Short mmCIF file of all heavy atoms in Angstrom, two decimals:
data_model
loop_
_atom_site.label_atom_id
_atom_site.label_comp_id
_atom_site.label_asym_id
_atom_site.label_seq_id
_atom_site.Cartn_x
_atom_site.Cartn_y
_atom_site.Cartn_z
N SER N 25 34.94 9.03 44.25
CA SER N 25 35.58 8.24 43.20
C SER N 25 36.45 7.13 43.80
O SER N 25 36.35 5.96 43.42
CB SER N 25 36.41 9.19 42.33
OG SER N 25 37.32 8.47 41.56
N ALA N 26 37.29 7.49 44.78
CA ALA N 26 38.20 6.49 45.36
C ALA N 26 37.43 5.38 46.07
O ALA N 26 37.77 4.19 45.93
CB ALA N 26 39.16 7.17 46.34
N LEU N 27 36.38 5.74 46.78
CA LEU N 27 35.62 4.70 47.51
C LEU N 27 34.89 3.78 46.54
O LEU N 27 34.85 2.56 46.72
CB LEU N 27 34.63 5.35 48.49
CG LEU N 27 35.26 6.12 49.67
CD1 LEU N 27 34.19 6.80 50.50
CD2 LEU N 27 36.11 5.20 50.55
N SER N 28 34.32 4.37 45.48
CA SER N 28 33.60 3.55 44.50
C SER N 28 34.53 2.54 43.84
O SER N 28 34.15 1.40 43.57
CB SER N 28 33.00 4.42 43.39
OG SER N 28 32.13 5.34 43.94
N LYS N 29 35.78 2.95 43.61
CA LYS N 29 36.74 2.04 42.97
C LYS N 29 37.11 0.89 43.89
O LYS N 29 37.68 -0.10 43.46
CB LYS N 29 38.01 2.81 42.58
CG LYS N 29 37.80 3.63 41.34
CD LYS N 29 39.08 4.31 40.91
CE LYS N 29 38.79 5.33 39.83
NZ LYS N 29 39.71 6.44 39.85
N LYS N 30 36.82 1.03 45.18
CA LYS N 30 37.14 -0.05 46.12
C LYS N 30 35.94 -0.98 46.31
O LYS N 30 35.81 -1.64 47.34
CB LYS N 30 37.57 0.52 47.46
CG LYS N 30 38.87 1.28 47.37
CD LYS N 30 39.64 1.26 48.66
CE LYS N 30 40.97 1.93 48.49
NZ LYS N 30 41.97 1.08 47.89
N ASP N 31 35.06 -0.98 45.34
CA ASP N 31 33.90 -1.85 45.38
C ASP N 31 33.00 -1.57 46.58
O ASP N 31 32.50 -2.48 47.24
CB ASP N 31 34.37 -3.32 45.40
CG ASP N 31 33.27 -4.22 44.85
OD1 ASP N 31 32.50 -3.73 44.00
OD2 ASP N 31 33.16 -5.37 45.31
N ILE N 32 32.86 -0.30 46.85
CA ILE N 32 31.97 0.13 47.94
C ILE N 32 30.76 0.80 47.31
O ILE N 32 30.90 1.55 46.33
CB ILE N 32 32.72 1.11 48.88
CG1 ILE N 32 33.83 0.36 49.60
CG2 ILE N 32 31.77 1.76 49.87
CD1 ILE N 32 34.80 1.26 50.32
N ASP N 33 29.59 0.50 47.83
CA ASP N 33 28.38 1.16 47.35
C ASP N 33 28.32 2.55 47.98
O ASP N 33 28.13 2.68 49.18
CB ASP N 33 27.18 0.30 47.80
CG ASP N 33 25.87 0.86 47.32
OD1 ASP N 33 25.87 1.64 46.35
OD2 ASP N 33 24.82 0.51 47.92
N VAL N 34 28.55 3.58 47.16
CA VAL N 34 28.62 4.94 47.70
C VAL N 34 27.32 5.68 47.38
O VAL N 34 26.90 5.75 46.23
CB VAL N 34 29.82 5.73 47.12
CG1 VAL N 34 29.91 7.11 47.75
CG2 VAL N 34 31.11 4.96 47.34
N ARG N 35 26.68 6.18 48.41
CA ARG N 35 25.42 6.92 48.23
C ARG N 35 25.66 8.37 48.65
O ARG N 35 26.08 8.60 49.79
CB ARG N 35 24.32 6.35 49.12
CG ARG N 35 24.07 4.87 48.93
CD ARG N 35 23.56 4.61 47.51
NE ARG N 35 23.24 3.21 47.35
CZ ARG N 35 22.00 2.75 47.32
NH1 ARG N 35 20.97 3.57 47.46
NH2 ARG N 35 21.77 1.46 47.15
N VAL N 36 25.42 9.27 47.73
CA VAL N 36 25.71 10.68 48.03
C VAL N 36 24.42 11.44 48.34
O VAL N 36 23.42 11.32 47.62
CB VAL N 36 26.44 11.36 46.85
CG1 VAL N 36 26.69 12.83 47.14
CG2 VAL N 36 27.75 10.64 46.56
N ILE N 37 24.46 12.19 49.44
CA ILE N 37 23.36 13.11 49.76
C ILE N 37 23.96 14.51 49.74
O ILE N 37 24.98 14.74 50.40
CB ILE N 37 22.78 12.83 51.16
CG1 ILE N 37 22.29 11.39 51.27
CG2 ILE N 37 21.67 13.82 51.48
CD1 ILE N 37 21.80 11.02 52.66
N MET N 38 23.36 15.41 49.00
CA MET N 38 23.87 16.79 48.98
C MET N 38 22.86 17.72 49.62
O MET N 38 21.65 17.54 49.44
CB MET N 38 24.11 17.24 47.53
CG MET N 38 25.14 16.40 46.81
SD MET N 38 25.34 16.93 45.09
CE MET N 38 26.38 18.38 45.29
N THR N 39 23.37 18.71 50.34
CA THR N 39 22.45 19.75 50.82
C THR N 39 22.19 20.68 49.63
O THR N 39 22.93 20.67 48.64
CB THR N 39 23.05 20.58 51.97
OG1 THR N 39 24.21 21.25 51.49
CG2 THR N 39 23.40 19.71 53.17
N GLU N 40 21.14 21.48 49.79
CA GLU N 40 20.82 22.37 48.68
C GLU N 40 21.99 23.32 48.41
O GLU N 40 22.34 23.58 47.25
CB GLU N 40 19.55 23.15 49.01
CG GLU N 40 18.86 23.58 47.75
CD GLU N 40 17.68 24.49 48.04
OE1 GLU N 40 16.96 24.24 49.02
OE2 GLU N 40 17.52 25.46 47.26
N SER N 41 22.62 23.82 49.49
CA SER N 41 23.73 24.76 49.23
C SER N 41 24.91 24.06 48.57
O SER N 41 25.63 24.68 47.78
CB SER N 41 24.19 25.52 50.47
OG SER N 41 23.63 25.04 51.62
N ALA N 42 25.12 22.78 48.86
CA ALA N 42 26.23 22.06 48.21
C ALA N 42 26.04 22.07 46.69
O ALA N 42 27.01 22.17 45.93
CB ALA N 42 26.32 20.65 48.74
N THR N 43 24.78 21.99 46.25
CA THR N 43 24.53 21.92 44.80
C THR N 43 24.86 23.25 44.11
O THR N 43 24.91 23.31 42.88
CB THR N 43 23.06 21.54 44.49
OG1 THR N 43 22.21 22.55 45.01
CG2 THR N 43 22.69 20.20 45.07
N LYS N 44 25.03 24.32 44.90
CA LYS N 44 25.44 25.60 44.30
C LYS N 44 26.95 25.57 43.96
O LYS N 44 27.43 26.34 43.16
CB LYS N 44 25.19 26.77 45.25
CG LYS N 44 23.80 26.82 45.82
CD LYS N 44 22.88 27.65 44.92
CE LYS N 44 21.54 27.90 45.56
NZ LYS N 44 20.44 27.11 45.03
N PHE N 45 27.69 24.70 44.65
CA PHE N 45 29.14 24.62 44.40
C PHE N 45 29.46 23.56 43.34
O PHE N 45 30.32 23.77 42.49
CB PHE N 45 29.88 24.28 45.70
CG PHE N 45 29.84 25.40 46.71
CD1 PHE N 45 28.84 25.46 47.67
CD2 PHE N 45 30.80 26.40 46.69
CE1 PHE N 45 28.79 26.50 48.60
CE2 PHE N 45 30.77 27.44 47.62
CZ PHE N 45 29.76 27.50 48.57
N VAL N 46 28.80 22.41 43.43
CA VAL N 46 29.01 21.32 42.45
C VAL N 46 27.64 20.75 42.15
O VAL N 46 26.83 20.60 43.07
CB VAL N 46 29.89 20.19 43.07
CG1 VAL N 46 30.21 19.12 42.04
CG2 VAL N 46 31.18 20.73 43.66
N THR N 47 27.39 20.39 40.93
CA THR N 47 26.07 19.81 40.63
C THR N 47 26.07 18.33 41.00
O THR N 47 27.13 17.71 41.12
CB THR N 47 25.71 19.95 39.13
OG1 THR N 47 26.56 19.05 38.41
CG2 THR N 47 25.86 21.36 38.63
N PRO N 48 24.89 17.74 41.16
CA PRO N 48 24.82 16.32 41.52
C PRO N 48 25.40 15.40 40.44
O PRO N 48 25.86 14.29 40.75
CB PRO N 48 23.33 16.05 41.69
CG PRO N 48 22.72 17.39 41.96
CD PRO N 48 23.56 18.39 41.21
#
Side-chain angles (χ1 to χ4, degrees):
S25 164
L27 293 175
S28 300
K29 283 184 190 150
K30 294 209 175 279
D31 204 30
I32 293 168
D33 182 20
V34 183
R35 305 296 184 105
V36 178
I37 302 176
M38 299 178 79
T39 62
E40 205 187 321
S41 9
T43 62
K44 309 270 189 255
F45 291 92
V46 185
T47 70

